[in-house]
């Protein structure tokens, strides 16, 4: 598995490649299955269909890794918080208003609620090509807490940011629950056959520096420490999106083995800030994948050049958008595979 070789410290060129949201609405075969499933959450909880849409981009493009098809908000839903995905509106949750409401959420309930996701992992492990790594994932505690406290996405989660000052105990209580829930959830994915796991801290960058340390780095470190203590040799990928100059501190303090870089991250600055031996993942602008042609090729080559001499997993700086033509993804794979000269 090329991806696992890189995470284990090997120099691999061209780099392994997978793309965030590589299973999704840009693929006609995904849209066909999505129509069979009912709602989006129904698709996440239907193990055979979730496995099928995870496998679709592997069959079509031969990515070096499959990432479990699910959603970061499965965990709060499994804990007992309401969740619906409204068409054109995104996820909607009843926002947590108090520590009393928080106490109504249950780690025991989450074990049963996430069982279909773990079955998806087992199905994938039995179906994937031997050379294809399987990535399990969860939302980072702060990112998931943003949705639990604000009740929806969009904007920059003003209620969560205010609560960090006005009711820090509530925010810390949510984070503590999510740390324990995420450890159990990711351990379940590892036991079911995931080769590596990833933490998506997609909203890390909305915090000032000290809150970034308290609400992103510390919870991520607790998860990584616990998982690595139980699973010697486990590799963990972290994605502290828009973390800027704090990305190096995030890597050093959390103990992640690879760091996903967002579109605005400069490779040279990230390399200079992160510990030697860090694996870098990213960071092509998803807009170029929509454009295709020379702009896409030039962008791919710029990313490859930016990480030459480093251990690198090629990816986007954020997820594929639904308007990407599938043939542009094929172009991306062709360009990367043609870059066969050793850096």
């Amino acid at each position: 598995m090329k991806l696992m070789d890189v995470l284990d410290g090997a120099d691999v060129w061209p780099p392994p490649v997978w793309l965030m949201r590589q299973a999704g609405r840009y693929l006609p075969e995904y849209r066909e299955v999505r129509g069979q499933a009912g709602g989006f959450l129904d698709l996440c909880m239907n193990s055979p269909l979730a496995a099928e849409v995870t496998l679709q981009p592997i069959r079509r493009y031969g990515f070096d890794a499959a990432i479990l098809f699910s959603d970061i908000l499965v965990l709060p839903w499994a804990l007992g918080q309401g969740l619906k995905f409204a068409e054109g509106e995104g996820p909607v949750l009843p926002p947590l208003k108090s520590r009393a409401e928080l106490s109504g959420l249950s780690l025991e309930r989450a074990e049963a609620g996430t069982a279909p996701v773990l079955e998806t992992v087992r199905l994938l492990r039995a179906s994937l090509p031997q050379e294809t790594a399987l990535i399990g994932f969860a939302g980072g505690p702060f990112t998931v807490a943003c949705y639990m406290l604000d009740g929806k996405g969009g904007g920059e989660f003003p209620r969560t940011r205010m609560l960090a000052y006005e009711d820090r105990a509530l925010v810390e209580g949510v984070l503590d629950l999510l740390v324990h829930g995420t450890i159990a959830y990711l351990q379940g994915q590892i036991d079911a056959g995931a080769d590596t796991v990833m933490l998506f801290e997609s909203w890390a960058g909305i915090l000032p520096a000290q809150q970034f340390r308290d609400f992103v780095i510390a919870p991520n470190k607790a998860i990584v420490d616990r998982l690595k203590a139980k699973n010697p040799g486990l590799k963990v990928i972290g994605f502290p999106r828009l973390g800027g100059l704090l990305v190096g501190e995030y890597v050093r303090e959390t103990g992640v083995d690879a760091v996903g870089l967002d579109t605005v991250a400069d490779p040279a600055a990230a390399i200079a800030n992160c510990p030697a031996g860090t694996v870098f993942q990213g960071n092509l602008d998803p807009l170029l994948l929509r454009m295709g042609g020379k702009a896409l090729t030039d962008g791919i080559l710029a990313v490859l050049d930016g990480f030459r001499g480093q251990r690198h997993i090629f990816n986007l700086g954020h997820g594929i958008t639904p308007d990407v033509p599938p043939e542009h993804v094929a172009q991306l794979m062709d360009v990367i595979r043609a870059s066969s000269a050793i850096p």
Side-chain angles (χ1 to χ4, degrees):
M1 295 180 182
K2 287 175 63 176
L3 183 133
M4 297 310 301
D5 290 343
V6 170
L7 290 174
D8 286 333
D11 296 318
V12 177
W13 194 267
V17 54
W18 69 276
L19 304 178
M20 288 183 278
R21 296 184 190 152
Q22 65 189 22
R25 288 177 289 170
Y26 74 103
L27 289 176
E29 55 265 45
Y30 170 87
R31 294 194 294 271
E32 182 178 339
V33 172
R34 176 74 171 80
Q36 304 171 24
F40 176 75
L41 190 58
D42 297 320
L43 177 56
C44 293
M45 293 294 108
N46 185 318
S47 302
L49 292 185
E52 169 59 21
V53 296
T54 303
L55 292 166
Q56 287 172 348
I58 305 303
R59 296 191 197 109
R60 185 185 271 255
Y61 302 112
F63 291 121
D64 294 296
I67 185 164
L68 164 70
F69 182 86
S70 186
D71 191 85
I72 63 170
L73 298 182
V74 162
L75 183 55
W77 172 81
L79 287 165
Q81 189 170 10
L83 171 65
K84 65 177 181 178
F85 287 87
E87 192 65 34
E89 192 177 348
V92 179
L93 307 87
L96 289 175
K97 295 187 174 72
S98 67
R99 277 161 273 179
E101 288 187 1
L102 176 61
S103 67
L105 303 182
S106 165
L107 290 170
E108 291 72 25
R109 174 174 173 159
E111 183 177 355
T114 57
V117 178
L118 306 188
E119 177 59 20
T120 303
V121 176
R122 284 187 282 270
L123 292 173
L124 289 168
R125 182 71 286 155
S127 302
L128 281 167
Q130 187 174 0
E131 68 273 14
T132 307
L134 176 55
I135 304 171
F137 78 92
F142 176 72
T143 294
V144 177
C146 284
Y147 290 92
M148 295 174 72
L149 291 166
D150 266 70
K152 61 181 180 179
E156 293 190 345
F157 299 95
R159 182 168 183 263
T160 300
R161 293 172 66 203
M162 286 300 295
L163 285 170
Y165 296 107
E166 295 176 346
D167 193 350
R168 186 181 174 104
L170 175 58
V171 175
E172 290 178 337
V174 175
L175 291 173
D176 184 65
L177 176 68
L178 288 171
V179 165
H180 287 89
T182 302
I183 290 168
Y185 185 35
L186 290 178
Q187 184 62 53
Q189 295 180 41
I190 294 163
D191 292 342
D195 296 300
T196 183
V197 294
M198 182 167 171
L199 285 167
F200 283 86
E201 279 288 15
S202 303
W203 293 102
I206 67 174
L207 292 170
Q210 190 55 51
Q211 288 183 355
F212 182 98
R213 297 181 177 103
D214 294 342
F215 298 155
V216 174
I217 289 179
N220 280 233
K221 173 178 169 53
I223 293 167
V224 174
D225 284 351
R226 184 75 65 85
L227 290 175
K228 288 194 170 192
K230 189 166 183 180
N231 306 277
L234 175 69
K235 304 301 180 183
V236 181
I237 306 168
F239 183 47
R241 181 170 168 261
L242 300 178
L245 294 176
L246 290 169
V247 165
E249 186 174 343
Y250 172 89
V251 175
R252 285 191 300 275
E253 296 298 324
T254 62
V256 297
D257 303 279
V259 61
L261 299 177
D262 55 69
T263 302
V264 302
D266 176 65
I271 292 164
N273 280 320
C274 289
T278 298
V279 178
F280 297 97
Q281 179 174 279
N283 66 333
L284 182 73
D285 187 348
L287 180 62
L288 291 173
L289 201 56
R290 190 179 78 186
M291 294 176 65
K294 184 177 185 299
L296 173 58
T297 295
D298 290 347
I300 294 165
L301 295 177
V303 171
L304 291 172
D305 286 344
F307 292 103
R308 285 184 185 272
Q310 304 296 317
R311 296 186 180 102
H312 181 218
I313 299 165
F314 197 100
N315 209 310
L316 304 177
H318 206 200
I320 295 180
T321 54
D323 53 5
V324 165
E327 57 268 25
H328 292 182
V329 181
Q331 177 189 343
L332 176 142
M333 296 300 289
D334 289 343
V335 172
I336 293 172
R337 286 167 175 157
S339 181
S340 57
I342 300 297

